[in-house]
Amino acid sequence: MAQGPGQHQGYGVPASAPPPNAPLFQDTSGLTQFPPPPSMAAAQHLINNPMVSAAAVQYGSEFAQQGQAYVNKGINRLLAITNLKTYFAVDTSYVLKKLSLLLFPYTHRNWMVGYGESGRTSPKDDINAPDLYIPVMGLVTFVLLNGVVLGTQSRFTPEALGVAGSSLLAWLAAEVLLLWLCLYLLAVTSQLRWLDIISFCGYKYVSMIVSVGLSLVGGSTVYYCALGYTALAITYFMVYSYLQLHYEPNSLPLCYRSRV
Amino acid sequence: MVFTLGTLFEALLLLVNAVAILNEERFLAKVGWGKDYRNEGFGGQSGAKVQLVNLITSVQTLLRVPLVAINILVIVYELILG
């Protein structure tokens, strides 16, 4: 039956009416096969049906959500955004315990970093978990302490703060790269990521702050004593933190294992 | 001289250049650090030397062309800005 274009307005569908001269029915007089192959008119008839269009919109939005999730996963893998939150999830008791551990690590027994069901346990629950709060605070505090020391020697200029900051960052970058290179060359397979290495290398700012701070009070002999003591303490801390990489329970912990 | 990120970058660039120009057949193979190191020695050996040889080989294959570009940029920078 021939139908006018106004017929489809009755469904209340907005302006996606078919073009006025398109055939609205299939002329099957010349066809030899049954059922007749679908044509554009049938497809447009289908799209104008509101139930079908709603289903199509939902289907398309599912695809969009999947694509979005895929992009998010890629970005998260590149930037470790979701991981970064666990490194800053600290509380006061963790910070105090960690600082005392950095200055006196000799009585600590269990150095293993815990892993929960969703990756690493947060620093609030596990004192061995590396965090980024202490290194960041240590960096800023050390730069300011540099300024204070320069001020006591009447050498302070504001540019000196910037120079000290960028110099600290450069040394941190050099140390992280060197440590990563050593870990790679020794073929240490571990769960340590870049942020963990940055975190471990940033703990030394605590010992630097203690040494320089004590030198403000006591002079150069106190400075060298404090430097020696804190250097030994932080070395002990680092060695035992990295030793747990090679340690597997039920095996000899301290022998070199060659991979076959 | 103050150790800044710029000096770190220059030092890294020079070191990577040094690794990239180690000649495979004239030097590394003679010392026993060539690409075919594993075939000559006993198999199953692992450790620092294998990783180091792999690192040198991969730096040479992957980074030679980008290093040329970065070197050109740094040379132009040093020429223009001293």
Side-chain angles (χ1 to χ4, degrees):
Chain A
M1 317 289 180
Q3 294 170 344
Q7 178 74 19
H8 290 276
Q9 308 292 343
Y11 283 107
V13 178
S16 62
N21 290 331
L24 292 172
F25 64 100
Q26 287 185 342
D27 187 356
T28 57
S29 52
L31 290 178
T32 53
Q33 51 172 327
F34 183 81
S39 71
M40 275 307 292
Q44 278 190 340
H45 184 99
L46 212 53
I47 287 177
N48 285 337
N49 187 349
M51 270 181 8
V52 174
S53 72
V57 162
Q58 188 176 13
Y59 195 50
S61 75
E62 267 183 33
F63 271 125
Q65 276 176 4
Q66 276 187 6
Q68 184 74 10
Y70 184 70
V71 166
N72 278 347
K73 199 155 59 88
I75 290 183
N76 280 345
R77 223 177 353 188
L78 277 182
L79 296 182
I81 291 179
T82 49
N83 267 348
L84 204 58
K85 282 192 290 204
T86 57
Y87 286 94
F88 283 102
V90 296
D91 56 351
T92 325
S93 71
Y94 170 80
V95 171
L96 285 175
K97 279 194 277 189
K98 193 81 178 194
L99 287 179
S100 65
L101 192 68
L102 286 169
L103 294 173
F104 194 76
Y106 308 108
T107 52
H108 193 67
R109 286 300 150 223
N110 177 26
W111 293 87
M112 298 287 292
V113 178
Y115 284 91
E117 68 283 345
S118 61
R120 175 160 299 147
T121 55
S122 106
K124 282 196 262 222
D125 309 320
D126 180 19
I127 187 164
N128 292 320
D131 71 317
L132 280 175
Y133 174 81
I134 293 180
V136 168
M137 289 292 141
L139 202 112
V140 175
T141 310
F142 189 75
V143 171
L144 294 176
L145 204 59
N146 248 11
V148 169
V149 168
L150 286 178
T152 58
Q153 300 169 356
S154 314
R155 288 195 286 145
F156 177 76
T157 63
E159 293 85 30
L161 283 182
V163 165
S166 72
S167 173
L168 269 185
L169 277 177
W171 278 116
L172 183 68
E175 191 175 335
V176 164
L177 279 174
L178 198 60
L179 202 59
W180 171 80
L181 191 70
C182 292
L183 286 177
Y184 172 78
L185 287 180
L186 294 175
V188 174
T189 53
S190 75
Q191 301 258 18
L192 276 198
R193 305 282 110 214
W194 284 97
L195 290 176
D196 300 326
I197 302 184
I198 294 177
S199 153
F200 280 130
C201 290
Y203 283 145
K204 67 178 187 296
Y205 293 135
V206 174
S207 39
M208 286 155 71
I209 290 169
V210 166
S211 311
V212 175
L214 283 178
S215 86
L216 277 178
V217 186
S220 69
T221 39
V222 173
Y223 172 67
Y224 286 118
C225 293
L227 191 65
Y229 173 76
T230 50
L232 280 176
I234 200 84
T235 311
Y236 188 99
F237 176 86
M238 295 279 214
V239 165
Y240 271 83
S241 295
Y242 284 114
L243 252 183
Q244 53 136 344
L245 296 174
H246 252 308
Y247 178 73
E248 289 160 52
N250 313 325
S251 76
L252 301 170
L254 291 180
C255 63
Y256 176 77
R257 305 168 63 85
S258 59
R259 288 190 312 176
V260 189
Chain B
M1 184 170 129
V2 187
F3 184 59
T4 62
L5 284 167
T7 48
L8 179 67
F9 172 68
E10 281 182 26
L12 271 182
L13 187 64
L14 287 174
L15 283 172
V16 177
N17 276 337
V19 171
I21 63 178
L22 292 172
N23 195 323
E24 169 68 39
E25 58 185 49
R26 286 193 189 132
F27 172 66
L28 292 177
K30 296 219 168 98
V31 194
W33 280 37
K35 287 201 303 280
D36 310 320
Y37 153 72
R38 253 167 299 166
N39 300 337
E40 298 165 13
F42 31 103
Q45 165 135 356
S46 70
K49 185 170 173 184
V50 170
Q51 297 287 113
L52 203 53
V53 171
N54 281 342
L55 187 65
I56 293 177
T57 320
S58 59
V59 163
Q60 287 185 345
T61 44
L62 286 177
L63 282 185
R64 272 202 172 138
V65 174
L67 264 184
V68 169
I70 298 177
N71 279 330
I72 290 177
L73 284 175
V74 171
I75 288 172
V76 167
Y77 169 83
E78 295 277 346
L79 282 177
I80 294 182
L81 298 175

